[in-house]
C-alpha cells in the first residue's frame, strides 16, 4: 500500500510540475476562466494521479490529451456521472460526484488541453528505413509476380503503387504514420458505422474516405483511390484487410 501511495505521490508531483511547465511554455492563448477553473478541478480530484495529459502524469489510465475531440462533451458528461457503466470488465474509474459547474469547467479545460496539443502525440520515427512500414516499390505494376492467393495479392497491392496504402498505414499495432494502424481492422470494421458490414465499411474507406473519419485523425486520405485502383485490386485489398483480426 505504501508503495502505491508513493507511486501516486510521485506521479502527482511530476505531473503538477509538467502542467506548470506546459502552461508556462505555451503562449497564453484563450485560457478562459472556465478552463482555468477546470485545471483546478483536475488537480483537486487528482485526475493526474491516474491519467496523463501530453503524456505526463500517472500511467494507470488512458492519456486524456485528445479525449475531448475523441469523445465529445455529451459522452464525457455522462461518463463522469457513472464511469462504471461504460466499459464493464476493465479497470474502473471512481465516480467523483462532480457538481454541474465542476463538470462544465473540467470539460472546458479538457477542450483547451486538446486544442493546445494539435500535434500530440509526436509521430513515431520509423528507424528501420522502410522496413517497419513494409514498403516495397520495386517490381511495381508487373503482374508476373502477382501471388495467386487473393489475400496475398491484397497485401501486395497494399504496399505498392498505385495506392501505397503502407506509406500512411502501419500493420504493426499502435503505430501511427499518418493514418491509424490497420492491425486488427477486421475486428473493428463492422462496428464503425451502424448498418455497415466490415466489408462495406472497408470498401467505403477506400472509395469514399470522407464518409467516416476515424476520431483523432485528419481527413487526408486521397479521394481518387477508387479510380487509381482497379475493382480487382480493391477487392483483393479488402480481402487482405479482412484477415487482420
Ligand atoms: C484511480 C484512478 C483514476 C482517477 C483518479 C481518475 N480516473 Fe479517469 N479513468 C480511470 C480508468 C481506469 C479509466 C479507464 C476505464 C474506463 O474507461 O472506464 C478512466 C477513463 C477516463 C476517461 C475516458 C473514458 C472513455 O470512455 O474514453 C475520462 C474522460 C476520464 N477517465 C476522466 C477523468 C477525470 C476528469 C478525472 C478526475 C476528475 C479522472 N478521470 C480521475 C481511472 C481514474
Ligand atoms: C495519405 C495517407 C493515406 C493513404 C495513402 C491511405 N490512407 Fe487510409 N487513412 C488515412 C487517414 C489519415 C485515415 C484516418 C482518417 C479517416 O478516417 O479518413 C485513414 C483511414 C483508413 C481506414 C479506416 C480505419 C479505421 O480504423 O476505421 C481504412 C480501412 C483505410 N484508411 C484503408 C486504406 C487503404 C486500403 C489504403 C490504400 C488503398 C489507404 N487507406 C491509403 C490516410 C491514408
Amino acid at each position: 500500500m505504501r508503495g502505491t501511495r508513493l507511486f501516486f505521490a510521485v506521479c502527482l508531483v511530476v505531473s503538477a510540475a509538467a502542467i506548470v511547465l506546459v502552461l508556462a511554455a505555451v503562449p497564453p492563448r484563450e485560457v478562459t476562466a472556465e478552463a482555468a477553473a477546470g485545471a483546478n478541478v483536475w488537480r483537486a480530484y487528482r485526475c493526474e494521479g491516474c491519467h496523463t495529459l501530453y503524456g505526463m502524469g500517472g500511467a494507470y489510465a488512458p492519456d486524456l490529451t485528445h479525449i475531448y475531440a475523441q469523445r465529445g462533451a455529451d459522452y464525457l458528461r455522462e461518463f463522469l456521472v457513472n464511469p462504471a457503466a461504460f466499459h464493464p470488465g476493465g479497470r474502473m474509474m471512481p465516480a467523483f460526484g462532480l457538481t454541474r459547474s465542476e463538470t462544465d469547467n473540467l470539460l472546458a479545460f479538457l477542450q483547451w488541453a486538446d486544442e493546445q496539443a494539435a500535434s500530440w502525440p509526436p509521430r513515431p520515427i520509423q528507424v528501420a528505413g522502410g522496413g517497419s512500414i513494409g514498403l516495397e516499390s520495386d517490381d511495381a505494376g508487373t503482374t508476373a509476380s502477382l501471388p495467386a492467393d487473393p489475400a496475398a495479392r491484397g497485401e501486395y497491392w497494399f504496399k505498392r503503387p498505385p495506392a501505397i496504402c503502407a506509406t500512411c498505414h502501419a500493420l504493426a499495432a499502435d503505430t501511427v504514420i499518418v493514418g491509424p494502424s490497420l492491425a486488427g481492422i477486421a475486428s473493428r470494421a463492422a462496428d464503425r458505422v451502424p448498418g455497415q458490414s466490415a466489408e462495406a465499411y472497408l470498401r467505403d474507406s477506400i472509395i469514399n474516405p470522407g464518409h467516416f473519419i476515424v476520431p483523432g485523425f485528419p481527413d487526408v486520405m486521397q479521394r481518387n483511390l477508387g479510380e487509381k485502383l482497379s475493382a480487382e485490386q480493391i477487392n483483393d485489398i479488402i480481402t487482405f484487410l479482412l484477415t487482420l483480426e
Side-chain angles (χ1 to χ4, degrees):
M1 269 336 273
R2 225 180 138 258
T4 315
R5 229 178 286 158
L6 187 66
F7 170 75
F8 280 105
V10 169
C11 286
L12 194 63
V13 171
V14 168
S15 54
I19 286 181
V20 168
L21 280 178
V22 167
L23 290 176
V26 162
R29 181 166 66 91
E30 288 177 63
V31 183
T32 60
E34 286 82 18
N40 288 334
V41 177
W42 175 262
R43 280 189 285 264
Y45 287 92
R46 309 281 186 267
C47 310
E48 79 266 40
C50 291
H51 290 283
T52 47
L53 277 182
Y54 311 112
M56 295 175 286
Y60 177 76
D63 183 87
L64 297 183
T65 309
H66 288 307
I67 197 71
Y68 190 88
Q70 284 158 349
R71 295 300 202 186
D74 292 343
Y75 174 100
L76 293 177
R77 227 173 258 289
E78 282 182 40
F79 177 83
L80 289 170
V81 172
N82 188 8
F86 276 72
H87 310 288
R91 278 184 186 173
M92 287 221 277
M93 176 167 126
F96 290 98
L98 302 176
T99 65
R100 175 79 201 215
S101 74
E102 282 174 328
T103 305
D104 288 345
N105 293 337
L106 195 51
L107 293 186
F109 172 63
L110 290 175
Q111 182 176 18
W112 175 85
D114 170 53
E115 287 167 0
Q116 289 296 309
S119 57
W120 181 269
R123 271 185 216 165
I125 297 167
Q126 304 286 325
V127 274
S132 58
I133 305 179
L135 214 58
E136 290 156 40
S137 54
D138 45 330
D139 57 356
T142 58
T143 43
S145 52
L146 270 188
D149 172 55
R153 236 170 22 234
E155 180 170 12
Y156 179 97
W157 290 123
F158 186 85
K159 295 174 177 175
R160 286 176 177 77
I164 335 182
C165 318
T167 48
C168 291
H169 292 287
L171 295 176
D174 299 326
T175 305
V176 172
I177 304 175
V178 176
S181 158
L182 295 184
I185 186 65
S187 316
R188 288 191 300 280
D191 300 327
R192 284 298 198 202
V193 177
Q196 223 171 35
S197 69
E199 216 247 73
Y201 172 72
L202 293 174
R203 188 174 298 279
D204 212 32
S205 295
I206 298 170
I207 298 174
N208 301 305
H211 274 181
F212 174 86
I213 308 299
V214 180
F217 284 91
D219 179 14
V220 296
M221 209 168 129
Q222 302 95 314
R223 292 291 191 263
N224 62 351
L225 293 178
E227 291 139 41
K228 282 171 119 188
L229 293 162
S230 71
E232 239 183 336
Q233 287 171 331
I234 293 176
N235 288 339
D236 289 345
I237 291 173
I238 292 169
T239 305
F240 165 61
L241 294 178
L242 286 172
T243 65
L244 305 177
E245 285 177 346

